Coordinates of all heavy atoms in Angstrom, one line a residue:
Q491 N -7.8 -8.6 -18.2 CA -8.7 -9.4 -19.0 C -9.5 -10.3 -18.1 O -8.9 -10.8 -17.0 CB -8.1 -10.2 -20.2 CG -7.2 -9.4 -21.1 CD -8.1 -8.7 -22.1 OE1 -8.5 -7.6 -21.8 NE2 -8.1 -9.2 -23.3
H492 N -10.7 -10.8 -18.5 CA -11.4 -11.8 -17.6 C -10.7 -13.1 -17.7 O -10.5 -13.7 -18.7 CB -12.9 -11.9 -18.2 CG -13.7 -12.9 -17.2 ND1 -14.0 -12.4 -15.9 CD2 -14.2 -14.2 -17.6 CE1 -14.7 -13.4 -15.5 NE2 -14.8 -14.3 -16.3
A493 N -10.4 -13.6 -16.5 CA -9.8 -15.0 -16.4 C -10.2 -15.7 -15.2 O -10.4 -15.0 -14.2 CB -8.3 -14.8 -16.4
E494 N -10.6 -16.9 -15.3 CA -10.9 -17.6 -14.2 C -10.3 -19.1 -14.1 O -10.0 -19.7 -15.1 CB -12.5 -18.0 -14.2 CG -13.4 -16.8 -14.2 CD -13.3 -16.0 -12.8 OE1 -12.9 -16.7 -11.9 OE2 -13.7 -14.8 -12.7
G495 N -10.0 -19.4 -12.7 CA -9.4 -20.7 -12.7 C -10.4 -21.6 -11.8 O -11.0 -21.2 -10.9
F496 N -10.4 -22.9 -12.3 CA -11.4 -23.9 -11.8 C -10.7 -25.2 -11.5 O -9.9 -25.7 -12.3 CB -12.7 -24.1 -12.7 CG -13.3 -23.0 -13.2 CD1 -13.1 -22.5 -14.5 CD2 -14.1 -22.2 -12.4 CE1 -13.7 -21.4 -15.0 CE2 -14.8 -21.1 -12.9 CZ -14.6 -20.6 -14.1
T497 N -11.3 -26.0 -10.6 CA -11.0 -27.4 -10.6 C -11.7 -28.0 -11.6 O -12.8 -27.7 -12.0 CB -11.3 -28.1 -9.2 OG1 -10.8 -29.4 -9.2 CG2 -12.9 -28.0 -9.0
S498 N -11.1 -29.0 -12.3 CA -11.6 -29.5 -13.6 C -13.1 -29.9 -13.6 O -13.9 -29.4 -14.5 CB -10.9 -30.7 -14.0 OG -9.5 -30.3 -14.3
G499 N -13.6 -30.4 -12.6 CA -15.0 -30.8 -12.4 C -16.0 -29.8 -12.4 O -17.2 -29.9 -12.7
R500 N -15.5 -28.6 -12.0 CA -16.4 -27.5 -11.8 C -16.9 -26.9 -13.2 O -17.9 -26.2 -13.3 CB -15.9 -26.5 -11.0 CG -16.1 -26.4 -9.6 CD -15.7 -25.1 -8.9 NE -16.5 -23.9 -9.3 CZ -16.0 -22.8 -9.3 NH1 -14.9 -22.5 -8.8 NH2 -16.9 -21.8 -9.7
L501 N -16.1 -27.1 -14.2 CA -16.3 -26.5 -15.5 C -17.8 -26.7 -15.9 O -18.5 -25.8 -16.4 CB -15.4 -26.9 -16.5 CG -15.4 -26.1 -17.7 CD1 -14.9 -24.8 -17.5 CD2 -14.4 -26.8 -18.9
K502 N -18.4 -27.9 -15.7 CA -19.6 -28.2 -16.4 C -20.8 -27.8 -15.3 O -21.9 -28.1 -15.7 CB -19.7 -29.7 -16.7 CG -19.5 -30.7 -15.6 CD -19.4 -32.1 -16.2 CE -18.9 -33.1 -15.1 NZ -18.7 -34.3 -15.7
H503 N -20.4 -27.4 -14.1 CA -21.4 -26.9 -13.2 C -21.5 -25.4 -13.3 O -21.5 -24.7 -12.1 CB -21.0 -27.4 -11.8 CG -21.0 -28.8 -11.6 ND1 -22.1 -29.5 -11.4 CD2 -20.1 -29.8 -11.7 CE1 -21.9 -30.9 -11.4 NE2 -20.7 -31.0 -11.5
G504 N -21.8 -24.9 -14.4 CA -22.1 -23.4 -14.6 C -21.1 -22.8 -15.5 O -21.5 -22.2 -16.5
P505 N -19.9 -22.7 -15.3 CA -18.8 -22.1 -16.1 C -18.9 -22.4 -17.7 O -18.7 -21.6 -18.5 CB -17.5 -22.3 -15.6 CG -17.8 -22.6 -14.1 CD -19.0 -23.3 -14.1
L506 N -19.4 -23.7 -18.0 CA -19.3 -24.2 -19.4 C -20.3 -23.3 -20.2 O -20.2 -23.2 -21.5 CB -19.8 -25.6 -19.3 CG -19.4 -26.4 -20.7 CD1 -18.1 -26.4 -21.0 CD2 -20.0 -27.7 -20.8
A507 N -21.3 -22.6 -19.5 CA -22.2 -21.7 -20.3 C -21.4 -20.6 -20.9 O -22.1 -20.0 -21.9 CB -23.2 -21.3 -19.3
M508 N -20.3 -20.2 -20.4 CA -19.5 -19.0 -20.9 C -18.6 -19.5 -22.0 O -18.0 -18.5 -22.5 CB -18.9 -18.4 -19.8 CG -19.7 -17.8 -18.7 SD -18.9 -17.1 -17.2 CE -18.2 -15.7 -18.2
V509 N -18.4 -20.8 -22.3 CA -17.4 -21.3 -23.2 C -18.0 -20.8 -24.7 O -18.9 -21.2 -25.0 CB -17.2 -22.7 -23.0 CG1 -16.3 -23.3 -24.1 CG2 -16.4 -23.0 -21.8
T510 N -17.1 -20.3 -25.3 CA -17.1 -19.9 -26.8 C -15.9 -20.0 -27.6 O -14.9 -20.3 -27.0 CB -17.7 -18.4 -26.9 OG1 -16.6 -17.6 -26.8 CG2 -18.8 -18.1 -26.0
P511 N -15.8 -20.0 -28.8 CA -14.6 -19.9 -29.6 C -13.7 -18.9 -29.2 O -12.6 -18.8 -29.6 CB -15.1 -19.8 -31.1 CG -16.5 -20.3 -31.1 CD -17.1 -20.0 -29.8
S512 N -14.2 -17.8 -28.4 CA -13.3 -16.7 -28.0 C -13.0 -16.9 -26.4 O -12.6 -15.9 -25.9 CB -14.0 -15.5 -28.2 OG -14.1 -15.1 -29.5
T513 N -13.0 -18.1 -25.9 CA -12.6 -18.3 -24.6 C -11.6 -19.5 -24.6 O -12.0 -20.6 -24.3 CB -13.8 -18.6 -23.7 OG1 -14.5 -19.7 -24.3 CG2 -14.7 -17.4 -23.6
P514 N -10.4 -19.2 -24.9 CA -9.4 -20.3 -24.8 C -9.4 -20.9 -23.4 O -9.4 -20.2 -22.4 CB -8.0 -19.7 -25.2 CG -8.4 -18.2 -25.0 CD -9.8 -18.0 -25.2
L515 N -9.2 -22.2 -23.4 CA -9.1 -23.0 -22.1 C -7.7 -23.5 -21.9 O -7.3 -24.4 -22.8 CB -10.1 -24.1 -22.1 CG -10.2 -25.0 -20.8 CD1 -11.8 -25.0 -20.3 CD2 -9.6 -26.1 -21.0
F516 N -7.0 -23.3 -20.9 CA -5.7 -23.8 -20.6 C -5.9 -24.9 -19.6 O -6.3 -24.8 -18.4 CB -4.7 -22.7 -20.0 CG -4.5 -21.6 -21.0 CD1 -5.4 -20.5 -21.2 CD2 -3.3 -21.6 -21.7 CE1 -5.1 -19.6 -22.2 CE2 -3.1 -20.6 -22.6 CZ -4.0 -19.7 -22.9
A517 N -5.7 -26.1 -20.0 CA -5.8 -27.3 -19.2 C -4.5 -27.8 -18.7 O -3.6 -28.2 -19.5 CB -6.5 -28.4 -20.0
L518 N -4.3 -27.9 -17.3 CA -3.0 -28.4 -16.7 C -3.1 -29.9 -16.6 O -3.7 -30.4 -15.7 CB -2.8 -27.7 -15.4 CG -2.4 -26.2 -15.5 CD1 -3.6 -25.3 -15.6 CD2 -1.6 -25.9 -14.3
V519 N -2.4 -30.6 -17.5 CA -2.4 -32.0 -17.5 C -1.0 -32.3 -16.7 O 0.0 -32.7 -17.4 CB -2.3 -32.6 -18.8 CG1 -2.4 -34.2 -18.8 CG2 -3.5 -32.1 -19.6
T520 N -1.1 -32.2 -15.4 CA 0.2 -32.3 -14.6 C -0.2 -33.2 -13.4 O -1.3 -33.4 -12.9 CB 0.4 -31.0 -14.1 OG1 -0.5 -30.4 -13.3 CG2 0.8 -30.0 -15.2
G521 N 0.9 -33.8 -12.8 CA 0.8 -34.7 -11.7 C 0.0 -36.0 -12.1 O 0.1 -36.6 -13.2
R522 N -1.0 -36.2 -11.2 CA -1.8 -37.5 -11.3 C -3.3 -37.1 -11.5 O -3.6 -35.8 -11.4 CB -1.6 -38.4 -10.2 CG -0.1 -38.9 -10.1 CD 0.0 -40.0 -8.9 NE 1.3 -40.4 -8.7 CZ 2.1 -40.0 -7.9 NH1 1.7 -39.1 -7.0 NH2 3.4 -40.5 -7.8
H523 N -4.2 -37.9 -11.7 CA -5.6 -37.7 -11.8 C -6.0 -36.7 -12.9 O -6.7 -35.7 -12.6 CB -6.0 -37.2 -10.3 CG -5.5 -37.9 -9.3 ND1 -5.9 -39.3 -9.1 CD2 -4.8 -37.5 -8.3 CE1 -5.3 -39.6 -7.8 NE2 -4.5 -38.5 -7.4
N524 N -5.5 -36.9 -14.1 CA -5.8 -36.0 -15.2 C -6.9 -36.5 -16.0 O -7.3 -35.7 -17.0 CB -4.5 -36.0 -16.0 CG -3.3 -35.4 -15.5 OD1 -3.5 -34.2 -14.8 ND2 -2.1 -36.0 -15.5
E525 N -7.5 -37.6 -15.6 CA -8.7 -38.0 -16.6 C -9.8 -36.9 -16.7 O -10.3 -36.6 -17.7 CB -9.3 -39.3 -16.0 CG -8.2 -40.4 -16.0 CD -7.3 -40.3 -14.8 OE1 -7.5 -39.5 -13.9 OE2 -6.4 -41.2 -14.7
K526 N -10.2 -36.4 -15.5 CA -11.4 -35.4 -15.6 C -11.0 -34.2 -16.2 O -11.7 -33.5 -17.0 CB -11.9 -35.2 -14.2 CG -12.7 -36.3 -13.6 CD -13.3 -35.8 -12.3 CE -14.2 -36.9 -11.7 NZ -14.8 -36.5 -10.4

Side-chain angles (χ1 to χ4, degrees):
Q491 304 284 80
H492 181 72
E494 296 294 339
F496 308 105
T497 186
S498 299
R500 261 193 69 199
L501 191 65
K502 57 190 174 185
H503 293 280
L506 198 60
M508 299 179 66
V509 167
T510 73
S512 293
T513 53
L515 183 136
F516 295 82
L518 284 84
V519 184
T520 58
R522 303 185 177 99
H523 314 295
N524 291 314
E525 298 80 7
K526 285 188 179 179

